[in-house]
Amino acid sequence: MSILFKGLRIINSDGLKESKDYIFDKGELTLADSSNSLIFDQEIDATGWLLSEGWIDLRCSMGEPGHEYKESIESLAESLVASGFAAACILPNTDPVIQSKGDVDFVLNRAKKYTPEFLIQGAVTKNTDGENFTEILDMHHQSGVTIFGEGIKPLANGDRYMKILQYLQKFDGVLFDHAYDPLLAIFGHMHEGHNSTLLGMKGIPNLAEDVAIQRNIEIIKYTGGRVHFQTINTAKGVELIRQAKADGLKVTADISIYQLLFTDHDLMEFDPNLKVLPPFRGDSDRSALIAGLKDGTIDALVSNHQPEDVDSKFMEFDLANFGMVGLQTFLPALVMLEKELGWSLMIEKITSGPRAILPHELSKSWTIFDPEATWTFNEESNKSLSFNSPWFGKDLIGQVKYVIQKGQLINVNV
């Protein structure tokens, strides 16, 4: 089936190109030219739409196995397609934890029928408790896992951190590190500062993240290896990673996109949807994240998609679980940030940026989206099994129209 997209504008790290016609035929998207003699099965007016390489999310949670009622493999795949993502790195914090060849194969075999690529982050310690090692080499050699970490938990044991980096260098694996000191963050619910004091809420100080990043960078200097720091959100953390890169260390970093849209000022109404980890920080930290994106210190933007059910999330703020669903609201978030960051930079942080971090190749894919389309995020449009989002029930701007994944053209809004 051949389809002509009329008036698409391709966008990449080099900028936004002039509008042209593109043809999808036999699993490929190609630029149309006057010599083409195809008779098209369908012509689509894509005026105002943008085209980019398929998006990659380096931090995405799901519930299956164990908590399928929060997010199944099927619902996650549908959410990824609807959100424009062609690949996602899946965190290991399921029940049981993804920590063996069998656990990895279970997820990958179930995910084969769907078009997004599932990239597994294998746990590095059993049950992600920070002590006994998992079968790291077996997960790599038998199931092809190259990304390892503790997911939503920090790897706080310095001895384990050091030895894991030594293990991973045997096959050029990457440690994905959610760096913070759990004891400095203990009992915390939000950013420690003026607003936490006003609310009478135990805060999580910037120090919890800063100390962990600094310690881990010193370990990297000692052992070598590759580390990707996830969801950093303090000004000092950005500066530490900037200096580590200048020193020639093999480190990269990402941030959650919603860290650029909210600060701790937004928690004054105790909305549990805004309880996330790491917490929303202050204005100066947000400014540092923006600067880090622009100068290349921060390599990627992530959804940090963390679905939670009603019983875990919608209660008193201090009792609610951390986390927010972030896939289908990702493009609207990009639209909100476009004037400050620009499309070229943002697209780079979800395409070529993540690709450079991943230690293996991904299939060719494309995302076609309308940055001006309005839609409502509600029960009808929501693909996830959870709805813990401050934008649920609201009108949003920016909608994915089509994706091309594994040679298939998928109409997202059917």
Side-chain angles (χ1 to χ4, degrees):
M1 183 176 184
S2 59
I3 297 177
L4 177 66
F5 288 93
K6 302 185 69 174
L8 267 180
R9 298 186 71 186
I10 192 168
I11 185 168
N12 54 32
S13 58
D14 295 327
L16 185 61
K17 311 302 181 183
E18 63 179 318
S19 61
K20 294 185 178 180
D21 296 346
Y22 289 83
I23 299 168
F24 177 80
D25 186 51
K26 298 178 181 178
E28 297 286 342
L29 186 70
T30 57
L31 185 64
D33 59 64
S34 57
S35 63
N36 196 293
S37 58
L38 275 176
I39 297 175
F40 303 107
D41 298 295
Q42 184 180 1
E43 292 188 9
I44 297 173
D45 182 3
T47 303
W49 295 5
L50 302 181
L51 166 70
S52 75
E53 291 185 4
W55 303 347
I56 303 164
D57 188 3
L58 294 180
R59 187 173 178 84
C60 193
S61 295
M62 68 176 182
E64 187 175 357
H67 300 285
E68 290 87 351
Y69 54 92
K70 294 184 180 183
E71 196 78 287
S72 66
I73 292 172
E74 179 180 12
S75 66
L76 179 59
E78 291 177 353
S79 296
L80 289 167
V81 169
S83 308
F85 286 98
C89 184
I90 309 300
L91 302 188
N93 312 101
T94 51
D95 186 14
V97 170
I98 303 175
Q99 59 188 357
S100 69
K101 175 185 179 298
D103 299 326
V104 173
D105 291 348
F106 168 80
V107 174
L108 293 181
N109 286 333
R110 292 289 300 275
K112 280 181 180 178
K113 67 175 74 173
Y114 308 109
T115 55
E117 295 186 58
F118 280 52
L119 312 172
I120 303 299
Q121 181 186 133
V124 288
T125 67
K126 292 182 179 178
N127 301 316
T128 61
D129 62 8
E131 291 298 328
N132 299 314
F133 294 130
T134 59
E135 298 172 351
I136 294 173
L137 295 180
D138 190 52
M139 277 190 279
H140 170 67
H141 292 305
Q142 300 297 321
S143 299
V145 178
T146 55
I147 300 166
F148 291 87
E150 299 285 72
I152 62 174
K153 294 184 179 181
L155 184 57
N157 186 316
D159 174 72
R160 301 298 184 270
Y161 199 102
M162 180 176 65
K163 288 184 171 62
I164 287 164
L165 283 179
Q166 292 168 335
Y167 267 109
L168 296 184
Q169 289 178 70
K170 295 178 182 293
F171 53 88
D172 197 30
V174 184
L175 176 62
F176 275 38
D177 181 14
H178 180 39
Y180 70 93
D181 187 309
L183 294 181
L184 290 175
I186 196 168
F187 304 129
H189 301 286
M190 63 177 291
H191 170 61
E192 181 184 86
H194 178 71
N195 289 321
S196 66
T197 302
L198 287 178
L199 296 174
M201 197 79 68
K202 176 69 168 64
I204 301 173
N206 283 28
L207 184 68
E209 181 173 313
D210 299 341
V211 166
I213 292 176
Q214 190 161 25
R215 184 207 69 166
N216 295 350
I217 286 174
E218 291 300 318
I219 295 174
I220 298 165
K221 290 180 181 178
Y222 180 78
T223 62
R226 296 179 60 193
V227 174
H228 176 66
F229 288 96
Q230 293 219 279
T231 63
I232 66 169
N233 78 333
T234 68
K236 185 172 183 179
V238 173
E239 180 54 39
L240 288 168
I241 291 170
R242 182 180 289 118
Q243 185 59 51
K245 288 188 169 186
D247 292 340
L249 300 181
K250 295 179 180 179
V251 299
T252 50
D254 67 47
I255 60 173
S256 302
I257 192 167
Y258 52 62
Q259 295 289 350
L260 304 177
L261 297 170
F262 298 99
T263 67
D264 63 328
H265 299 289
D266 295 300
L267 272 64
M268 303 306 287
E269 300 299 323
F270 296 100
D271 183 355
N273 285 309
L274 297 177
K275 184 177 181 181
V276 296
L277 192 67
F280 298 129
R281 300 286 185 190
D283 293 327
S284 61
D285 293 303
R286 181 189 179 278
S287 296
L289 297 181
I290 294 290
L293 279 169
K294 290 181 176 180
D295 69 14
T297 300
I298 298 168
D299 303 89
L301 287 166
V302 299
S303 74
N304 202 9
H305 178 73
Q306 191 170 336
E308 293 289 347
D309 65 300
V310 172
D311 292 339
S312 300
K313 192 65 175 175
F314 297 99
M315 59 183 70
E316 294 86 347
F317 192 91
D318 59 329
L319 299 178
N321 283 2
F322 291 100
M324 179 192 299
V325 292
L327 287 174
Q328 284 182 259
T329 58
F330 196 92
L331 174 55
L334 292 177
V335 172
M336 295 175 200
L337 293 165
E338 190 271 329
K339 288 184 179 179
E340 191 169 15
L341 293 174
W343 280 116
S344 295
L345 179 64
M346 294 189 298
I347 293 297
E348 175 191 336
K349 301 302 180 181
I350 55 175
T351 55
S352 58
R355 281 181 184 272
I357 293 165
L358 296 172
H360 50 78
E361 292 293 322
L362 296 175
S363 302
K364 188 66 174 178
S365 58
W366 299 95
T367 298
I368 300 171
F369 62 99
D370 184 350
E372 297 181 355
T374 300
W375 62 286
T376 304
F377 186 35
N378 55 22
E379 291 184 5
E380 183 178 353
S381 60
N382 184 28
K383 303 298 183 182
S384 173
L385 299 181
S386 298
F387 54 90
N388 50 306
S389 168
W391 291 302
F392 195 77
K394 297 183 178 181
D395 292 336
L396 299 173
I397 300 174
Q399 187 177 41
V400 175
K401 293 296 185 179
Y402 290 85
V403 296
I404 298 172
Q405 298 174 358
K406 296 181 180 176
Q408 298 181 43
L409 176 67
I410 302 171
N411 186 342
V412 170
N413 299 303
V414 171

